[in-house]
Amino acid sequence: YYSTSARDCKILALVSADGLEEQVEEGAECEVVLDRTSFYAEAGGQVADVGAIYDNEHQQVLADVRSAYYPVAGLIAHRVVARQTLTVGDRVITLADAPRRDSARRNHTATHLLHAALRTTLGTHVKQAGSLVAPDRLRFDFSQYAEIGEQDLLGIENLVTQPVLANEVVRTDLMYI
């Protein structure tokens, strides 16, 4: 998900409330399955991308993408509202909302900083027990056996904000096993 756009994607399936469709008309709410996509699907507490699907010439918005999810492992379904007729086999461009994704990415990084700060301050018994990563906020659930004191809270805050204020570079490593 380094790019927020993908060209020449093929519509493999359209699914409405009635089931599989060969075509959906303007205004229809449906799910679109593509052969590839630039949309991040909801996973691991991080919300899905939103954006649009365009015709392959990038002239017309064909659908507004409201979210994306994994109905089964390895398959992404895009929840959309069609602005134009969509047909299985159409070639399209996907365009995720880049500023929104960047905000979610920053909050995703903040969850890692928070987790490390909690473990450093409170101990290695602290384990993540859930999260929500959205463009406008994050929630980090964790296990802890006692109330967190004021000094510990200030220390945690300092450990999280220090690299942010230093504007440290974030590096992503793709690791294959």
Side-chain angles (χ1 to χ4, degrees), residues 51-95:
I53 296 175
Y54 287 81
D55 69 313
N56 221 21
E57 287 73 43
H58 206 267
Q59 300 293 315
Q60 250 183 356
V61 177
L62 301 179
D64 294 318
V65 179
R66 303 269 172 94
S67 70
Y69 74 103
Y70 294 100
V72 295
L75 180 72
I76 296 176
H78 306 76
R79 290 187 177 109
V80 308
V81 176
R83 284 201 190 181
Q84 303 290 327
T85 300
L86 300 174
T87 305
V88 171
D90 284 351
R91 296 282 181 176
V92 298
I93 294 171
T94 63
L95 186 61

Side-chain angles (χ1 to χ4, degrees), residues 16 31 59-60 81 93 126 131-132 137 148 152 159 161 166:
S16 73
E31 294 179 359
Q59 300 293 315
Q60 250 183 356
V81 176
I93 294 171
V126 173
S131 68
L132 168 68
R137 68 189 183 287
I148 302 171
D152 283 339
L159 286 171
T161 58

Side-chain angles (χ1 to χ4, degrees), residues 21-43:
E21 306 282 354
E22 281 299 311
Q23 190 173 74
V24 296
E25 301 299 323
E26 176 183 347
E29 292 185 23
C30 68
E31 294 179 359
V32 176
V33 177
L34 302 165
D35 65 343
R36 58 198 171 80
T37 185
S38 60
F39 283 86
Y40 181 84
E42 183 174 337

Side-chain angles (χ1 to χ4, degrees), residues 141-157:
D141 305 331
F142 64 97
S143 56
Q144 168 61 4
Y145 306 119
E147 184 176 345
I148 302 171
E150 187 67 30
Q151 284 307 111
D152 283 339
L153 284 175
L154 291 172
I156 292 164
E157 181 179 357

